[in-house]
Amino acid sequence: MNVNTSLRLLAAAGAVLLAGACGTGGQDAGAPAAAGGGQKPVSTTARDWKGVADALGREGKVMGGTVYRVALPRGDLKVTSYGVQVKAGLALGSYAAFARYPGGQNLAMGDLVVTEKELPKVTDALQKAGIDQTALHKHLLAQTPQIWWTHFHATGTNQEKIARGLKAVLDATGTPPSAKPTSPGPVGLDTRAIDKALGTKGTSEGGIYKFTFAHNQTITAHGRVLPPAMGVTTAINFQPTGGGKAAINGDFAMTAGEVQKVIKALRAGGIDIVELHNHALDDDPRLFYLHFWANDNAVKLARGLGHAVDNQDVKPAG
């Protein structure tokens, strides 16, 4: 185990202790700016976002005491890539994340999984609602049917208005209502060896084994600090495909200096590069996102992914 992996294990333990010591409360209108510049989001509870949940017709959960994140998995889609039927948790997980800042300003960001037929209607609905479309790309190399991923960004003092606009966007797609969470259950992989390779313990959700890593430096956009739950993280997913193998997908959120090192590490691990792009218009530092794919022995792939993560200044997201 190298130094970066050891540091990630220590950071994970610290994150658990910190999470246990911190709670959520009401709004903190005096939230200070971060050391690197930018307003920090204020603390909120699920009650603060009831209007958003009602407008969307879907409930989310507060993450890190500040971000209200609504999962919008495309469980309605039957997508195949290189012979693998892709589960929603591997690569088809739309989401919307909301945060509140001093002065009553709200920020919404997210990613929508849409079919090629839905895409023009989604773009028009975003424009009509005054929601910025900030990226459009694919997460899979080969896919049937053709699927696109589009990112959005909106600000304003009326979070319900933003949510109503987003609901109109969702209505232009076949995105189903939120489903009740199911028991994680076993994933049929050597998770202990995978955890060791990635330097932290993963989580099981909907048959997918997942990891999330957050940047050690502060990420801002439009003068506001973006907590990890807004979607500015490295996310790694494993979907078992039998015989100890797994399909892997997700994305690395990288600063410019990390990009080539991560690409080199992934290719050395036999992992394909799908896309390299930005998700936001004015984040600081500028983040580049790299989507990847492979279907092979899960532990072997985990080692390659672990080496790529070692080339980032990140820690496990608590």
Side-chain angles (χ1 to χ4, degrees), residues 8-121:
R8 289 207 307 274
L9 287 168
L10 289 172
V16 171
L17 290 173
L18 181 61
C22 296
T24 61
Q27 295 183 38
D28 176 12
Q39 286 185 326
K40 290 182 178 180
V42 302
S43 298
T44 57
T45 66
R47 184 181 305 171
D48 296 311
W49 301 105
K50 184 179 184 305
V52 167
D54 290 345
L56 286 175
R58 299 163 172 87
E59 291 188 358
K61 62 181 180 179
V62 176
M63 303 180 68
T66 57
V67 175
Y68 187 68
R69 185 168 171 123
V70 184
L72 304 164
R74 291 301 303 263
D76 59 309
L77 297 176
K78 304 298 180 186
V79 178
T80 302
S81 181
Y82 288 103
V84 176
Q85 184 161 324
V86 177
K87 291 187 176 182
L90 178 67
L92 306 176
S94 299
Y95 75 92
F98 295 79
R100 188 167 300 159
Y101 293 81
Q105 285 290 325
N106 299 280
L107 169 64
M109 294 173 59
D111 189 13
L112 301 175
V113 179
V114 301
T115 65
E116 197 155 294
K117 184 177 180 179
E118 293 169 344
L119 180 57
K121 295 182 289 184

Side-chain angles (χ1 to χ4, degrees), residues 149-243:
W149 287 255
T150 186
H151 290 260
F152 64 86
H153 178 283
T155 58
T157 56
N158 189 334
Q159 68 266 27
E160 287 86 1
K161 180 180 178 182
I162 296 173
R164 286 193 297 271
L166 184 56
K167 175 61 163 58
V169 175
L170 294 175
D171 288 346
T173 75
T175 304
S178 298
K180 293 182 179 179
T182 57
S183 175
V187 293
L189 296 173
D190 186 351
T191 55
R192 181 176 297 182
I194 292 171
D195 291 346
K196 182 179 179 181
L198 283 159
T200 189
K201 185 172 179 57
T203 58
S204 178
E205 183 180 339
I208 306 297
Y209 201 55
K210 301 187 170 191
F211 296 84
T212 306
F213 297 91
H215 285 271
N216 284 315
Q217 63 189 120
T218 299
I219 309 299
T220 65
H222 292 287
R224 300 181 179 94
V225 172
L226 303 181
M230 294 301 284
V232 290
T233 55
T234 288
I236 295 172
N237 303 322
F238 291 77
Q239 177 181 314
T241 54

